[in-house]
Amino acid sequence: RQMCIRDRRYIYYLSQWARTWQMSFKADKSRDVVFRSPNTPKLPVAPLTLNTENIPIVTSHKHLGFHLDEILSFSVNIQNLEEKVQKMLNPLKALVKKVKTKHFDMIYNSFIMPHLDYGNVIFKDASQYLLNRLDSLHYKAGVIALGVLHGSSGAKVLKNLNWVSLDSRRLTHVATFMFKVKTNICPSYIRDIYQGFRPIRHHMVLRDAPDFHIPLHISTRLKNTAAISYIKTWNDLPQVIRHSTSISMFNPSLTIGIMNYFCERPLLL
């Protein structure tokens, strides 16, 4: 109830601001998503109004190309991503005998892989079942590129193409993200999230002190959030990587070191 009152107040302020600057917002262009825990029952919510019109209530919404569902399971986003990548792979099947492996590798990494990488640090902690569906697409692309039979060893397919698993790519992107947080080259609204997790600096400098500290007494809900998960990933990195002095040190050789540090998860096909 308090959230509903607060949201109505914000919409009223937005309407007043728009009227002052002779602007208008359409209710049918807006969406109302009530985020909740998976274990919380869905309760009826009165629709919000904008300019006397009701804002449509939906269970998921596409924002900047990323689908957010009401329980943040990312199932809608991964399902749409799976369909998009599958449509891009289907025409390439007919070109198996006409396109060389190196050309297919260039096509895949230039036009298809960016879709799999987009927002992958956000859905990194999605259910293993959903992530395996993306791994299956990654494997299928490797099978097409090499022209081998479906059912071949996933590890050997990736090794022959010099590809890495999607899990390693997500971990690498998380490590790069946390490096930017550590060195304060990220936006302030992201830096403020991790400000409370930075340890207090004492006069005694430890050689391997963590850059971020996870409180011992935190709720289970907070422990399962993305922010804590990123801190765990960063603290588990080797010291030589965490102590890098510039973003340019995250070169391909260093990226390979990050990937080799984490155990590769087998492809479940």
Side-chain angles (χ1 to χ4, degrees):
R1 180 181 176 84
Q2 293 179 353
M3 292 178 59
C4 185
I5 296 175
R6 183 194 61 186
D7 292 341
R8 293 179 187 277
R9 188 188 310 123
Y10 288 158
I11 292 177
Y12 172 76
Y13 293 153
L14 178 63
S15 301
Q16 294 296 320
W17 177 86
R19 188 176 294 108
T20 301
W21 292 97
Q22 297 182 358
M23 300 175 60
S24 63
F25 298 102
K26 293 185 177 180
D28 58 348
K29 296 291 185 179
S30 305
R31 295 295 182 270
D32 181 12
V33 183
V34 181
F35 296 101
R36 59 184 179 86
S37 171
N39 300 324
T40 303
K42 189 174 182 178
L43 301 176
V45 180
L48 300 175
T49 58
L50 179 62
N51 298 329
T52 69
E53 296 182 9
N54 291 338
I55 298 177
I57 300 177
V58 296
T59 57
S60 65
H61 176 61
K62 184 179 180 181
H63 182 67
L64 297 178
F66 196 92
H67 293 265
L68 295 170
D69 57 274
E70 60 181 353
I71 60 175
L72 296 179
S73 64
F74 308 112
S75 58
V76 178
N77 183 75
I78 292 179
Q79 180 180 353
N80 282 270
L81 178 59
E82 184 181 17
E83 294 175 356
K84 182 187 298 183
V85 173
Q86 186 64 60
K87 289 180 180 179
M88 301 176 74
L89 287 177
N90 287 337
L92 297 177
K93 294 180 181 179
L95 303 176
V96 172
K97 299 181 180 180
K98 300 179 181 179
V99 179
K100 295 183 179 180
T101 299
K102 64 178 182 179
H103 295 153
F104 185 93
D105 177 78
M106 185 182 302
I107 294 173
Y108 181 71
N109 286 287
S110 300
F111 300 103
I112 300 179
M113 182 57 73
H115 293 285
L116 296 172
D117 283 343
Y118 183 70
N120 61 358
V121 297
I122 301 177
F123 60 80
K124 181 183 75 71
D125 294 318
S127 67
Q128 191 60 49
Y129 167 74
L130 294 174
L131 297 179
N132 287 342
R133 291 166 62 176
L134 298 182
D135 290 335
S136 179
L137 288 176
H138 191 49
Y139 166 79
K140 189 178 298 183
V143 169
I144 297 174
L146 290 176
V148 298
L149 295 176
H150 187 84
S152 303
S153 171
K156 291 183 179 180
V157 168
L158 297 183
K159 183 178 180 180
N160 289 334
L161 291 169
N162 199 24
W163 290 0
V164 296
S165 67
L166 297 181
D167 183 45
S168 291
R169 294 182 68 90
R170 287 189 288 266
L171 292 173
T172 303
H173 294 161
V174 169
T176 305
F177 170 80
M178 291 304 299
F179 176 82
K180 293 180 180 180
V181 174
K182 174 196 171 185
T183 54
N184 296 324
I185 55 176
C186 63
S188 59
Y189 59 87
I190 294 179
R191 188 167 59 247
D192 293 342
I193 296 175
Y194 292 91
Q195 197 62 38
F197 297 104
R198 293 182 182 270
I200 301 175
R201 299 298 180 184
H202 299 282
H203 64 280
M204 297 181 59
V205 180
L206 301 178
R207 282 181 291 182
D208 196 21
D211 300 302
F212 301 95
H213 174 70
I214 301 177
L216 295 177
H217 304 287
I218 58 175
S219 63
T220 304
R221 177 177 298 182
L222 180 59
K223 188 181 298 184
N224 295 330
T225 58
I228 300 298
S229 174
Y230 296 171
I231 293 177
K232 291 179 180 177
T233 300
W234 177 259
N235 289 341
D236 289 340
L237 286 174
Q239 182 179 356
V240 64
I241 297 178
R242 289 190 287 109
H243 291 179
S244 301
T245 57
S246 64
I247 191 65
S248 61
M249 294 186 65
F250 278 83
N251 51 34
S253 61
L254 185 56
T255 301
I256 293 174
I258 296 174
M259 295 173 183
N260 291 338
Y261 179 76
F262 290 98
C263 295
E264 296 277 355
R265 291 192 299 193
L267 293 175
L268 303 178
L269 307 174

